[in-house]
Amino acid sequence: MNAPLEAGRFGSGQSVRRIEDPALIRGLGQYADDISLPGQTFLAFLRSPYAHANITSIDTAAAKAMPGVLAVYTGADLVAAGVKAMPAPSGFPRPDGKPGVSAPRRALADGRVRFVGEAVVAVVAESLDQARAAAEAVEVDYQELPAVVDAFAAMRPGAPQLCDEAPDNIAAAMRHGDAAATEAAFAGAAHRVSVDVDNQRLAPSPIEPRCINAAVGALGSADAGRLVVRLSSQMPTAVRGGLVDAIPGLSTEKVRVLVGDVGGGFGMKTGIYPEDIAVGFAALQIKRPVKWRADRLEEFLAAVHGRDVVSRAELALDAKGKVLALRVRGIANVGGYATGTGVAIQVLIGPWVSTSIYDIPVIDLHFSAVMTNTTPTGAYRGAGRPEAIYLTERLMDAASRKLGLDPAELRRRNMIRPDQMPYKNPMGQTYDSGAFEQILDQGLALADWSGFAARRAQSEARGKLRGRGIATFLEWTGGNVMEERVTVNVTADGFIELGSATQGMGQGIATSYAQLAVDVFGVSIDRIRVLQGDTDRLNGFGSAGSRSLFTGGSSVDVASRRTVDEAKNLAAEALEAPAADIEYREGRFKVAGTDLGIGLFELAARQPEARIHVDSTSSAGGPTWPNGCHVCEVELDRATGEVAVVAYASVNDIGRVVSPTIVRGQVDGGAVQGIGQALCERVAYDAETGQLQSASFMDYALPNVDGFLGFKTAFDTSVPCKTNRLGVKGVGELGTIGATPAVVNAVIDALDHAGLGAAAEAIQMPVTSERVWRALNLKTFDPSPFKL
């Protein structure tokens, strides 16, 4: 159980040590790989060495004869057993009007592989070493096929075809807005600016890799005959549903999913993976526990990647800098198999926020999701919103340079005003609240915007180029699932247990829930326990899209208040007084005007089951729209091209703040990931062979703290959200969304100041030292990534 380092009535708004941490810092965490069961076996995958190939034969005889081997499975074996393919994207059309398509993705490839690292054979053995050795003994004959890793190349006639129903490899495409009105706005505009942008492919890289341990419950146990799955996931219920859909003979009642501690998710651990299906199937077949834990190479190869969309974005403006229209053509590389999530992120969710905090009247947004011989893409922190905001913020800076305006002033002229709320943007999304100019003013003050010239001069005196970038923006949160169920159990031994279907993954949500419960119950925070990650207890959407606090937290508040109301009725019976006369305060009921009373936990002990139980379901009224102003300053080294982030300030509107320490960590940690995309991270494939070239942390550069001076981070709590009872707004992805454009805009500003002018707009992410050095010393840039 969670036990805090300190007791006390630490309700919302107070900084408190996280209740999740004591067990973790003592090494008592329970991650999926920490659990080994009686009779434990281990599974290893043999993965495709080719990006695109037909499987002509598989010989498993040698592997089956090796010591300790219990089973060897191929894709054909699973198909023969009735294991179904994973769902293709639905609800998104192709350019020809037909439904979106993808090649069938199976737990193990059957007949054809479509990216390097796709699982082909699964081997189960008594030990991990035996399983790995046997997997290497399997002989697979492949007929290698031409591969394509570039989305633009994949759409051209004659390109290798990944799916029979998509000769152009376009899985789905959507166009939003009014193309004719947008064209008219551009035709009459005083100014037009355009940027070609590569939102490069990223590897989410949580510290804990994926792990799953599946077992059939033993006879006589509470789970007898059921498939019990322990894994690292953000969405336990979705995993259960995926297993039931794929494996014949399973039903919801026959599957239990348990999730313990999760060492980071960042969207990568949402939903079900092919490996999960293979492990569950194997456990059902051999009737023993089967565990698979990915190594880091497997995570680079086969866990979903994020981003990977190349866009041409354009703004039309009048003579005074008012934006008249936004036009974007985007080509998203969704990998070897198009998933519903991977497609939705690029063709729908990103466009929802494309106009951001700006009053832009008309849009023309056209996005295509294209299949290539690369790892499938999916959710990664921000999921579509970072891509869209990066485009808009790059355009705003490009426009400010063209018009000779301060970039903050151009943004100010285009911001939605508070008196326009609720505001419906051109994508039909309604903002309930926002004071964007107020946040801008605070951000400029925190960053000492007016003092930049002096700092630039100081940097130049040291031989450095200094640049300043800004991003003012919002994001959408919620996953469009607003309902959450919460259970409350007040126990006789003095604890209040909260059950939720949202999922902790390192973000500290249990602490925030406990603080909200303290607000209602008035007891010490060490009396609150938070239970998550068990589909036998509760089911729901899980945690993604920065939704946990405003949906789950609101439901915790509702359930807690309902529990107090129910307990008042019980106290009235116990004290033989009218319920209307019962008062509650800090864990005790009493009859108003008297000394007669009873403690909450004593009251629980008197109940037939020695507890007070409430099962509550409630809903938020809509998504939240957190927003912020992020300002970054960088220094460039002329001799080496090295980029250093030397100042970073942000003011963030996340509505009411429940856990100050946690939200600061979320914003700052998210910003570090955004800085990583801006400066160093990139998944790279060989263009000819489709081989992954960034398959380790020797080749995939994560951001580090060397020389980093830290953040100035502030919150404006004066604009509460109006769609949930707490007034909170999602916070988990805000920092990531703001950091990337702020950093890149700062680099471009420095290059512009060095005399490159508009040419500096051509630099692409990651803005590595090599790219900066070439720009400064050779005046050369990579060619435009937009190839239509």
Side-chain angles (χ1 to χ4, degrees):
M1 294 295 179
N2 294 319
L5 290 173
E6 55 192 334
R9 295 188 182 94
F10 294 102
S12 63
Q14 300 184 62
S15 292
V16 60
R17 295 175 182 175
R18 302 193 326 166
I19 68 174
E20 297 93 338
D21 290 347
L24 299 179
I25 63 176
R26 294 200 301 267
L28 301 177
Q30 284 287 297
Y31 297 91
D33 198 30
D34 291 330
I35 299 171
S36 288
L37 303 169
Q40 185 71 64
T41 70
F42 300 86
L43 186 147
F45 290 102
L46 178 67
R47 297 181 180 274
S48 171
Y50 296 104
H52 199 195
N54 289 325
I55 301 171
T56 58
S57 68
I58 302 177
D59 186 349
T60 62
K64 289 179 178 177
M66 292 182 69
V69 172
L70 301 170
V72 181
Y73 302 107
T74 67
D77 294 332
L78 269 60
V79 170
V83 177
K84 298 176 183 176
M86 300 174 70
S90 60
F92 305 102
R94 272 187 30 83
D96 57 13
K98 295 179 180 178
V101 296
S102 175
R105 190 181 189 189
R106 298 188 177 277
L108 298 172
D110 180 40
R112 190 170 167 194
V113 292
R114 292 175 173 83
F115 64 94
V116 172
E118 184 172 1
V120 176
V121 178
V123 178
V124 184
E126 297 286 356
S127 74
L128 180 57
D129 287 343
Q130 289 172 330
R132 287 175 171 170
E136 293 178 0
V138 174
E139 295 184 5
V140 182
D141 287 333
Y142 296 94
Q143 177 194 16
E144 189 174 4
L145 301 171
V148 59
V149 301
D150 178 82
F152 291 92
M155 294 189 293
R156 295 182 188 129
Q161 188 175 332
L162 278 77
C163 175
D164 293 341
E165 294 79 17
D168 53 7
N169 286 314
I170 299 177
M174 295 189 78
R175 193 163 189 173
H176 311 282
D178 187 329
T182 300
E183 178 58 34
F186 271 85
H191 302 285
R192 292 176 289 277
V193 293
S194 174
V195 294
D196 291 352
V197 164
D198 181 8
N199 256 288
Q200 78 273 29
R201 180 174 284 234
L202 304 175
S205 306
I207 194 170
E208 179 206 21
R210 291 173 295 150
C211 182
I212 178 171
N213 195 348
V216 177
L219 293 176
S221 71
D223 292 312
R226 304 172 72 203
L227 180 65
V228 181
V229 175
R230 296 169 172 84
L231 84 165
S232 182
S233 176
Q234 299 170 226
M235 292 182 169
T237 302
V239 172
R240 184 184 68 176
L243 291 168
V244 170
D245 289 343
I247 300 175
L250 287 183
S251 62
T252 298
E253 295 74 23
K254 292 182 179 179
V255 181
R256 183 182 188 185
V257 174
L258 298 169
V259 177
D261 291 309
V262 176
F266 309 128
M268 192 199 85
K269 295 178 182 176
T270 53
I272 193 164
Y273 276 90
E275 291 92 342
D276 302 332
I277 298 169
V279 172
F281 175 81
L284 289 166
Q285 293 297 304
I286 71 169
K287 300 295 191 292
R288 287 177 61 181
V290 178
K291 181 194 289 189
W292 170 73
R293 193 259 303 151
D295 59 31
R296 189 57 65 180
L297 174 60
E298 288 181 296
E299 293 295 74
F300 276 113
L301 288 170
V304 295
H305 294 160
R307 314 287 193 259
D308 205 349
V309 55
V310 176
S311 306
R312 174 163 289 167
E314 304 169 273
L315 274 186
L317 304 98
D318 69 14
K320 295 182 178 180
K322 178 69 176 71
V323 176
L324 305 174
L326 168 68
R327 182 162 56 199
V328 180
R329 179 70 173 103
I331 306 298
N333 182 342
V334 296
Y337 299 93
T339 67
T341 300
V343 170
I345 284 168
Q346 301 300 348
V347 307
L348 185 62
I349 296 174
W352 281 344
V353 301
S354 58
T355 55
S356 188
I357 63 173
Y358 307 116
D359 188 15
I360 299 176
V362 292
I363 60 171
D364 178 13
L365 312 178
H366 185 189
F367 286 88
S368 299
V370 182
M371 294 173 285
T372 69
N373 294 115
T374 61
T375 301
T377 59
Y380 174 55
R381 200 169 191 170
R385 288 94 81 200
E387 297 93 313
I389 294 300
Y390 182 72
L391 288 179
T392 305
E393 289 303 297
R394 283 289 308 276
L395 284 169
M396 296 301 286
D397 258 34
S400 70
R401 268 185 286 276
K402 184 164 187 174
L403 276 67
L405 287 174
D406 181 292
E409 175 58 26
L410 181 68
R411 287 167 169 83
R412 187 188 305 275
R413 293 183 185 184
N414 286 282
M415 286 178 175
I416 301 162
R417 303 183 311 275
D419 62 15
Q420 293 176 273
M421 298 294 173
Y423 176 90
K424 181 177 286 189
N425 75 11
M427 284 294 297
Q429 298 295 307
T430 299
Y431 309 160
D432 66 286
S433 60
F436 307 129
E437 188 173 7
Q438 174 178 307
I439 300 300
L440 170 66
D441 288 336
Q442 293 176 68
L444 298 180
L446 186 66
D448 185 21
W449 185 265
S450 60
F452 174 70
R455 294 190 296 277
R456 170 171 271 174
Q458 293 168 1
S459 295
E460 289 178 349
R462 299 195 310 273
K464 305 285 187 180
L465 291 168
R466 196 177 189 105
R468 176 183 64 182
I470 184 173
T472 55
F473 63 98
L474 56 64
E475 76 140 324
W476 161 92
T477 74
N480 272 2
V481 180
M482 304 301 156
E483 184 177 274
E484 279 296 329
R485 178 178 165 221
V486 169
T487 59
V488 181
N489 283 306
V490 182
T491 66
D493 59 351
F495 290 94
I496 298 168
E497 295 180 345
L498 307 174
S500 172
T502 59
Q503 183 59 50
M505 50 181 154
Q507 81 275 46
I509 192 63
T511 298
S512 297
Y513 286 174
Q515 290 184 265
L516 291 170
V518 169
D519 286 346
V520 177
F521 289 105
V523 300
S524 176
I525 196 169
D526 64 348
R527 299 290 91 192
I528 310 295
R529 293 170 170 167
V530 179
L531 308 177
Q532 301 177 93
D534 184 348
T535 57
D536 272 10
R537 287 180 177 269
L538 285 164
N539 287 281
F541 184 76
S543 288
S546 301
R547 68 181 297 276
S548 297
L549 186 62
F550 87 85
T551 56
S554 294
S555 293
V556 165
D557 181 75
V558 170
S560 298
R561 295 184 187 280
R562 288 175 178 172
T563 302
V564 170
D565 290 342
E566 172 64 19
K568 278 184 178 180
N569 293 327
L570 298 174
E573 294 178 11
L575 299 173
E576 298 181 346
D581 291 344
I582 301 298
E583 298 176 344
Y584 176 78
R585 181 180 174 82
E586 296 179 354
R588 186 168 181 81
F589 296 95
K590 73 170 189 175
V591 179
T594 74
D595 293 331
L596 186 62
I598 187 171
L600 175 63
F601 302 115
E602 180 186 352
L603 181 64
R606 293 190 182 188
Q607 305 312 305
E609 296 182 352
R611 65 171 185 165
I612 300 170
H613 174 76
V614 168
D615 190 326
S616 172
T617 298
S618 55
S619 299
T624 74
W625 302 94
N627 56 90
C629 172
H630 288 217
V631 179
C632 174
E633 294 183 17
V634 300
E635 282 187 341
L636 312 185
D637 188 311
R638 288 179 180 271
T640 66
E642 181 182 5
V643 180
V645 175
V646 294
Y648 196 102
S650 74
V651 174
N652 305 275
D653 169 15
I654 59 169
R656 172 186 171 191
V657 172
V658 173
S659 304
T661 303
I662 288 174
V663 298
R664 186 175 299 275
Q666 286 289 301
V667 171
D668 292 354
V672 170
Q673 286 184 280
I675 292 169
Q677 176 172 10
L679 298 182
C680 58
E681 295 187 47
R682 175 175 173 257
V683 171
Y685 286 92
D686 181 85
E688 297 297 324
T689 66
Q691 294 295 323
L692 182 62
Q693 297 175 321
S694 52
S696 77
F697 289 129
M698 294 292 289
D699 306 296
Y700 186 89
L702 290 177
N704 59 59
V705 297
D706 291 352
F708 188 61
L709 302 179
F711 297 95
K712 290 182 180 178
T713 306
F715 299 93
D716 184 332
T717 61
S718 68
V719 190
C721 180
K722 298 179 180 180
T723 63
N724 66 81
R725 64 186 293 117
L726 299 179
V728 299
K729 303 175 186 179
V731 67
E733 294 154 305
L734 196 66
T736 304
I737 296 166
T740 306
V743 172
V744 176
N745 281 341
V747 173
I748 294 173
D749 179 58
L751 294 175
D752 178 32
H753 186 69
L756 273 71
E761 293 286 352
I763 202 160
Q764 298 293 335
M765 298 187 293
V767 184
T768 60
S769 58
E770 178 187 358
R771 281 176 163 160
V772 172
W773 185 89
R774 284 197 285 111
L776 287 170
N777 296 282
L778 302 179
K779 304 298 188 289
T780 61
F781 297 89
D782 295 329
S784 169
F786 192 82
K787 304 168 189 174
L788 281 184

